[in-house]
Amino acid sequence: MPGSTLPPFPNDVRTHPLLIIDYELIKAGDAEEVNRLWEAATTIGFWYLKSHGADQEVGDMFDMGAETMALPLEERMKFEQGDSGRSFGFVFVQLRSASHLIWPGFLIRYKKAGANAIDATGAILDAVEFINVSKDDALAYPQVIHRTYPSTVNARMENTIAPFVHKGLEVTYVVLNIFNDRLGLPKGTLERLHDMEEYSGSEARCIRSPPVLVKETTKSAVLGAHTDFGSLSFLHNRLGGLQVLPPGHDEWSYIRPIPGHAVCNVGDALSLFSGGILQSNIHRVVPPPGVQAEYERWSLVFFTRPGNLKVLRALVESSHIIAEAVKKQPDRNFETDSTAAEWFARRVKYQRINNRTGPESWAASRGTEHTPTAA
């Protein structure tokens, strides 16, 4: 299993503290724990989640990822993501600058069909390889909803991927219903916006990053600064590397990985639905700190996104709390005139270096970032 024997996270780097939320307590409606979740979601938008009961599913998913990344490059490239703006499939990228290879020796060389920019210059491309599996494909298998997958994915679709997707959705719906009540929305509003039966961009993603082979690159972003596209992310890390830039801060801080704890965060859609009450915070991935940088980094996430046809806008007609929040922010636009599918496709499409025409392409890939120029 990836990451089974790894060095500890160092104590001599800057970290940002997150509240630890007990999933079993919020599921049971514990008032104090629900208050703590609300505090986390409305301040930084990130929190640890313990007692989530997904350890077996997470371990199995990492095994699936390792099996899939071990396939020959020619086989993996049959399932490459492409430049059209869809997410499901493979992404192959390698960190390069315009003049030289920064991380030499990484298995997957840069392919123009698989490169994403990490900032407005377009000079450096990200350094992650990942496999995305659609929630819709996983739950409908063997029926194909969006696309086909490598043999290693198909072999584990029913006994590994679908259980992880179900667990991610279970966690999501518990959290959404808490937010729904706190926002003063009619019962079930947020859950209906994320109906399991409606096609959406929700997906499971297993990510591999190469070890750092050149010391000077340890501060270079592996995945550029961004907010998440959807509503809620359920993340599992084996090594450090995740960093946040909270509002009001001008320096990046690591999020310390804690064994058995997921990291959850709010995405653009929930921030928009809530009129900015729920915080979609900017974050990025850099190489792990200290000796951890010498190891291959694996992470796993389930992204919950609204149904494809749902329009991303503040739910002001349904909640006086949201309406009041929007009134207090006249400088922000909560009317995107965009469906969830359009928002998602735009953000994916214009990160692709093959679609770049200039800095405006990077701007077009942005979401609700409070610091849109950050890298």
Side-chain angles (χ1 to χ4, degrees), residues 60-91:
D60 291 346
M61 284 293 291
F62 277 122
D63 289 343
M64 181 280 297
E67 293 160 5
T68 303
M69 301 303 181
L71 291 171
L73 174 58
E74 180 181 359
E75 179 65 17
R76 283 176 283 162
M77 286 301 293
K78 295 176 183 177
F79 303 93
E80 210 284 313
Q81 187 181 47
D83 296 315
S84 64
R86 72 177 178 178
S87 179
F88 316 125
F90 259 113
V91 175

Side-chain angles (χ1 to χ4, degrees), residues 95 102-106 127 209-222 239-240 254 286-297:
L95 189 61
I102 293 180
W103 284 5
F106 182 34
S209 304
V212 173
L213 301 179
V214 181
K215 187 175 182 180
E216 288 72 18
T217 66
T218 55
K219 295 183 180 181
S220 299
V222 177
L239 289 172
Y254 283 98
V286 298
V291 295
Q292 286 195 345
E294 300 171 10
Y295 290 77
E296 200 171 55
R297 182 181 188 271

Side-chain angles (χ1 to χ4, degrees), residues 30-83:
D30 182 90
E32 182 178 351
E33 200 72 355
V34 166
N35 286 339
R36 295 175 71 251
L37 170 63
W38 185 248
E39 177 187 348
T42 55
T43 53
I44 189 174
F46 274 78
W47 61 93
Y48 294 112
L49 191 70
K50 71 176 184 178
S51 306
H52 49 66
D55 290 343
Q56 183 64 53
E57 292 87 346
V58 169
D60 291 346
M61 284 293 291
F62 277 122
D63 289 343
M64 181 280 297
E67 293 160 5
T68 303
M69 301 303 181
L71 291 171
L73 174 58
E74 180 181 359
E75 179 65 17
R76 283 176 283 162
M77 286 301 293
K78 295 176 183 177
F79 303 93
E80 210 284 313
Q81 187 181 47
D83 296 315

Side-chain angles (χ1 to χ4, degrees), residues 134-154:
S134 161
K135 173 266 292 182
D136 303 325
D137 285 324
L139 300 186
Y141 189 81
Q143 181 184 358
V144 175
I145 303 300
H146 299 292
R147 67 169 305 156
T148 57
Y149 296 89
S151 59
T152 50
V153 174
N154 293 333

Side-chain angles (χ1 to χ4, degrees), residues 95 118 124-127 217 219-225 284-287 375:
L95 189 61
I118 68 165
I124 299 179
L125 308 176
D126 66 346
T217 66
K219 295 183 180 181
S220 299
V222 177
L223 189 63
R284 69 178 185 178
V285 178
V286 298

